[in-house]
Amino acid sequence: MKKKYAIIYLLLIISLGLHSQKFKEAIPKDIALVPIQNQFRNSIDLSGIWKFKVDSLNEGIQKEWYNGVTECRQIAVPGSWNEQYTDLRDYLNWCWYEKDFYIPASWQGEDIYIRINDATYFAKVWVNGKAVGQHEGCHVPFAFKLNEYLQWGKENKISIQVENIQSPSRVPTGAVEGSSFGNYPNANYDFFPYSGLNRNVVLYSLPAKGHIKDITVRPDINNTTGILNVEVEKNGSIQSGKVIVKGHGQQIAKDIRFSNHYATTSIQIPEAKLWSPDSPNLYEVEVVLEEKGANVDKYSLKTGVRIVSVDEKHIYLNGEEIFLNGFGKHIDFPVIGRGTADPVMVKDFELMKWTGANSFRTTHYPYDEGFYDMADQHGFMVIAETPSVGLIMGGDSLQLAERQRVCKQYLHEVIYRDKNHPSVIMWCVANEPNDKAQLGMAGPTSKATKERAYSLFKEHFDLTKELDPTRLVIYVGPMMGPRYWFELTDVIAINRYWGWYTSPGSIENGSSVLSSELDRLHRKHKKPCMVTEFGCDTYAGMHAEEPEMFTEEYQVDFIKAYLDVAESKDYVVGMHIWNFADFKTSQSIIRLGGYNLKGVFTRERKPKMAAHYLRERWFNNKGNKK
Ligand code: GCB
């Protein structure tokens, strides 16, 4: 009998061994430059219909599905699986994606990479049945070099296994015991946990002889001269190159020489055209690698000359006071879920402009790169947020350490990817973090827990400033949340719903609480303040003679009252309405039909009365508080 068990055990070990594969961790630096096409670089977008198979028992690896899935469904990439299949609406467990592709013969001899722009939340990647790598995290790209896995002149197969299981050790956090949300699916955040390949997957080639890995452009201004401080990182043995800045009738070139793969230069632009919301002037920065007089690689990006600064009461762009009128948003649309859809993005910019907004926050995760390009071109100021939403800076040490690791990874990924966009004026390291000793716990936090939370949270700010000393850094504080972290921020940013979640029905009461709280915060911290979220759920088409909760009239009056408070205070630097549009979230008793209805537009982008009100108030008075 014993012998029988020993044999079974041995067989189990052997079979596990056969299926144990080594996955490289994705390297954040590999996503620093978005793939482009020019005479040295190529790319192929693998968007389209992929094979798709649910793996609720997580048996795919053991059954070697990486060699090809059978009896599968079809799925559109980009797009969230929860919207494409009825039975998968609340499904967050493992799924497999598969696509066959050819590499053009002309790419032979080049370095070939794959960039997966969003595989939420945890993904493993195989090419031709061989384990390539893995990545943890939502709504951020990752890339792997593929050369050793590819076959030439034959079809290749990419397989991606993805899951979005909610867990207390992940960011954002889910399945938190005692969580006040009481929602389903059990996410510790208020938006639907849309899963899978939400953005496109791109194959791209880079010159094997040596290529540009990263370009960091830090702008400055000296009187009328614009300065672009450029750092280039490359790989390979090439030692020299050029940086060329083009735009507005000027072209300025400088030679660069590399030492240890890095080169820096500073380009002066006389009479520079600065970037601002009113005049979103852009310059092209082209970097060329050269060897023996011949070009080996070239990369061009668009950026702007502008500086951001802050004092006790104001934020300045190029030395001029600015006021942020705008929204918190989501990437959310029927059928597409959190998937990238360019027409929706274009429409959203059109509608934001229609209201007269000049800014938005990428709540509550980084958006597709296209958003930042549009913001650069249309003069929107962006608060770029990481996926660290509803972050818990206390609780079990092991889980806390896991979350801390992922948060730092996000900061690298987000800053490497988005650092050259002039539209990005602030980084937001976290939305509504808390310092509870236990997950989901209410009540006061002990001194020791607070101290631990403070020093860990400070690391987020230190890392952000180290990676990018040129922008403002904030976190967004919740109602009744910890206040001692405001010491760390450049601007006090708060989400407030007085008159909605508290004193419901009384806008007067709510706005007066807001007014005295803002005064207190400013008196204590001597920093400019911004309300990064305020709003109320509004059922489109519901009306009342006198404002009443959920009616369009209540939403207009609520927004008006909050904007009036802001206008009366010279240290308030921005008001972002929650939310631009209604969006899908987990089911709960406070979310009718599984929707957060705080949009000033409906989910289909039809205006509520509040959108018209904002247009009247903002559009004719662009950039001002009124
Ligand atoms: C908040 C959160 C946001 C929610 C919002 C609400 O403070 O930051 O994610 O959706 O409140 O509507 O309750």
Side-chain angles (χ1 to χ4, degrees):
M1 203 56 176
K2 268 191 186 156
K3 200 171 157 195
K4 187 174 149 199
Y5 283 125
I7 291 169
I8 292 173
Y9 183 69
L10 202 67
L11 286 175
L12 200 72
I13 296 285
I14 290 169
S15 101
L16 280 177
L18 282 178
H19 297 289
S20 80
Q21 296 167 312
K22 220 168 153 33
F23 292 89
K24 275 183 246 153
E25 291 296 335
I27 302 167
K29 223 357 160 7
D30 286 343
I31 60 158
L33 295 179
V34 64
I36 58 165
Q37 266 189 316
N38 60 26
Q39 64 269 50
F40 304 104
R41 295 171 169 241
N42 251 306
S43 70
I44 298 173
D45 188 338
L46 296 182
S47 294
I49 299 296
W50 288 48
K51 288 182 183 164
F52 178 75
K53 187 162 176 152
V54 172
D55 185 10
S56 52
L57 301 175
N58 193 12
E59 59 187 358
I61 293 189
Q62 203 208 339
K63 295 197 168 163
E64 301 181 9
W65 292 2
Y66 45 79
N67 288 324
V69 285
T70 52
E71 293 162 25
C72 50
R73 313 184 195 198
Q74 292 182 308
I75 196 157
V77 175
S80 311
W81 72 55
N82 317 79
E83 288 267 346
Q84 294 183 52
Y85 284 101
T86 312
D87 62 320
L88 301 184
R89 188 191 64 196
D90 301 324
Y91 180 82
L92 305 177
N93 215 317
W94 289 105
C95 285
W96 288 74
Y97 287 76
E98 185 185 303
K99 181 97 175 157
D100 294 329
F101 62 93
Y102 268 87
I103 303 278
S106 60
W107 290 22
Q108 204 147 9
E110 305 289 44
D111 283 354
I112 294 158
Y113 282 79
I114 192 148
R115 176 161 165 135
I116 296 162
N117 276 311
D118 179 341
T120 294
Y121 174 88
F122 185 84
K124 291 181 179 172
V125 180
W126 291 258
V127 167
N128 297 326
K130 287 174 236 153
V132 174
Q134 63 184 27
H135 177 263
E136 173 174 0
C138 65
H139 315 315
V140 277
F142 54 95
F144 295 110
K145 190 173 172 190
L146 291 189
N147 291 57
E148 61 184 287
Y149 311 100
L150 292 173
Q151 36 195 34
W152 291 95
K154 280 192 199 158
E155 211 166 43
N156 292 277
K157 184 187 300 306
I158 175 159
S159 314
I160 308 177
Q161 193 196 19
V162 197
E163 51 87 355
N164 190 16
I165 298 165
Q166 301 301 294
S167 151
S169 53
R170 292 185 161 181
V171 184
T173 308
V176 175
E177 254 176 62
S179 151
S180 54
F181 269 100
N183 55 2
Y184 181 74
N186 184 358
N188 191 42
Y189 47 91
D190 182 22
F191 51 91
F192 197 83
Y194 280 123
S195 315
L197 302 185
N198 294 305
R199 294 180 192 156
N200 62 350
V201 176
V202 181
L203 279 168
Y204 60 104
S205 71
L206 304 173
K209 204 165 190 190
H211 54 254
I212 302 154
K213 265 190 92 171
D214 192 11
I215 303 169
T216 306
V217 187
R218 292 194 176 140
D220 206 347
I221 299 169
N222 184 6
N223 295 321
T224 57
T225 303
I227 302 161
L228 292 178
N229 297 306
V230 184
E231 182 186 79
V232 181
E233 183 183 348
K234 56 97 195 173
N235 70 5
S237 58
I238 291 144
Q239 287 308 318
S240 56
K242 264 194 183 58
V243 174
I244 307 151
V245 171
K246 303 177 191 172
H248 308 285
Q250 304 196 54
Q251 176 155 332
I252 306 155
K254 276 223 173 161
D255 291 334
I256 48 171
R257 273 208 75 73
F258 289 91
S259 130
N260 289 330
H261 295 289
Y262 288 89
T264 54
T265 187
S266 183
I267 308 251
Q268 320 264 325
I269 311 169
E271 303 304 322
K273 298 265 184 245
L274 304 185
W275 185 94
S276 73
D278 288 337
S279 312
N281 297 307
L282 297 175
Y283 285 90
E284 186 181 335
V285 175
E286 184 177 286
V287 177
V288 181
L289 294 189
E290 297 167 336
E291 197 178 50
K292 296 184 194 132
N295 292 351
V296 175
D297 188 18
K298 182 161 100 184
Y299 194 93
S300 308
L301 56 85
K302 292 250 171 74
T303 191
V305 182
R306 59 105 192 90
I307 50 168
V308 189
S309 56
V310 73
D311 67 14
E312 276 189 21
K313 287 189 177 173
H314 305 293
I315 301 178
Y316 302 91
L317 188 78
N318 307 329
E320 284 181 22
E321 263 177 52
I322 47 166
F323 192 88
L324 304 175
N325 286 324
F327 302 97
K329 281 181 60 48
H330 268 297
I331 303 300
D332 174 279
F333 203 71
V335 183
I336 299 158
R338 187 139 305 119
T340 300
D342 288 345
V344 181
M345 177 180 74
V346 171
K347 180 81 181 173
D348 282 5
F349 273 95
E350 180 62 11
L351 292 179
M352 283 196 287
K353 282 205 262 178
W354 181 85
T355 63
N358 64 9
S359 62
F360 63 90
R361 177 164 60 115
T362 69
T363 42
H364 289 308
Y365 36 79
Y367 293 178
D368 191 80
E369 276 122 341
F371 258 88
Y372 306 79
D373 291 339
M374 291 276 280
D376 292 345
Q377 282 167 37
H378 293 270
F380 276 84
M381 295 177 284
V382 176
I383 303 179
E385 188 159 286
T386 70
S388 306
V389 44
L391 187 64
I392 301 162
M393 295 303 298
D396 173 272
S397 299
L398 286 177
Q399 290 177 352
L400 181 56
E402 271 303 290
R403 292 194 296 270
Q404 187 75 351
R405 177 185 62 76
V406 178
C407 286
K408 287 185 178 172
Q409 178 198 308
Y410 282 146
L411 286 170
H412 281 103
E413 290 168 331
V414 169
I415 296 173
Y416 286 154
R417 195 192 70 160
D418 300 326
K419 60 187 178 298
N420 293 324
H421 289 282
S423 56
V424 175
I425 60 162
M426 280 189 230
W427 302 114
C428 176
V429 300
N431 180 72
E432 303 203 340
N434 70 58
D435 60 359
K436 299 297 169 214
Q438 256 175 22
L439 302 186
M441 186 189 94
T445 306
S446 72
K447 192 161 171 262
T449 305
K450 275 188 179 172
E451 277 170 9
R452 179 175 71 164
Y454 184 88
S455 71
L456 288 175
F457 200 42
K458 185 171 180 300
E459 290 175 13
H460 298 212
F461 286 83
D462 292 346
L463 177 59
T464 308
K465 290 275 181 193
E466 180 193 319
L467 291 170
D468 179 6
T470 69
R471 288 181 173 90
L472 308 183
V473 186
I474 61 165
Y475 85 97
V476 168
M479 285 159 85
M480 281 140 349
R483 274 142 211 264
Y484 55 98
W485 287 333
F486 285 133
E487 283 167 29
L488 299 166
T489 66
D490 288 320
V491 175
I492 309 273
I494 53 173
N495 294 344
R496 290 300 180 262
Y497 296 90
W498 315 120
W500 181 254
Y501 291 125
T502 65
S503 59
S506 177
I507 294 172
E508 208 185 315
N509 198 325
S511 55
S512 104
V513 175
L514 175 75
S515 174
S516 38
E517 189 193 13
L518 281 168
D519 287 343
R520 265 198 320 276
L521 283 170
H522 182 252
R523 215 177 305 123
K524 179 158 191 313
H525 296 281
K526 307 222 170 1
K527 293 181 182 182
C529 298
M530 167 162 187
V531 184
T532 31
E533 283 182 26
F534 65 101
C536 42
D537 289 80
T538 305
Y539 193 78
M542 186 174 271
H543 295 284
E545 303 90 287
E546 286 300 314
E548 203 173 344
M549 290 176 82
F550 295 99
T551 64
E552 295 200 27
E553 286 78 3
Y554 194 89
Q555 187 181 33
V556 170
D557 282 18
F558 187 98
I559 288 174
K560 178 176 183 311
Y562 269 56
L563 293 181
D564 287 348
V565 168
E567 206 180 304
S568 69
K569 305 189 188 297
D570 61 355
Y571 58 84
V572 173
V573 292
M575 295 296 282
H576 275 179
I577 289 150
W578 191 254
N579 188 283
F580 170 74
D582 295 343
F583 60 91
K584 187 93 179 82
T585 185
S586 294
Q587 299 174 59
S588 84
I589 51 165
I590 58 162
R591 295 291 177 252
L592 181 68
Y595 293 101
N596 184 311
L597 297 173
K598 295 193 183 69
V600 302
F601 292 94
T602 64
R603 198 180 188 214
E604 293 74 23
R605 277 38 177 184
K606 294 285 173 224
K608 299 182 191 172
M609 274 170 61
H612 288 281
Y613 173 72
L614 289 173
R615 181 169 161 82
E616 262 169 46
R617 186 158 178 154
W618 283 346
F619 195 78
N620 299 323
N621 208 348
K622 238 188 165 177
N624 288 328
K625 286 188 184 188
K626 285 181 194 158

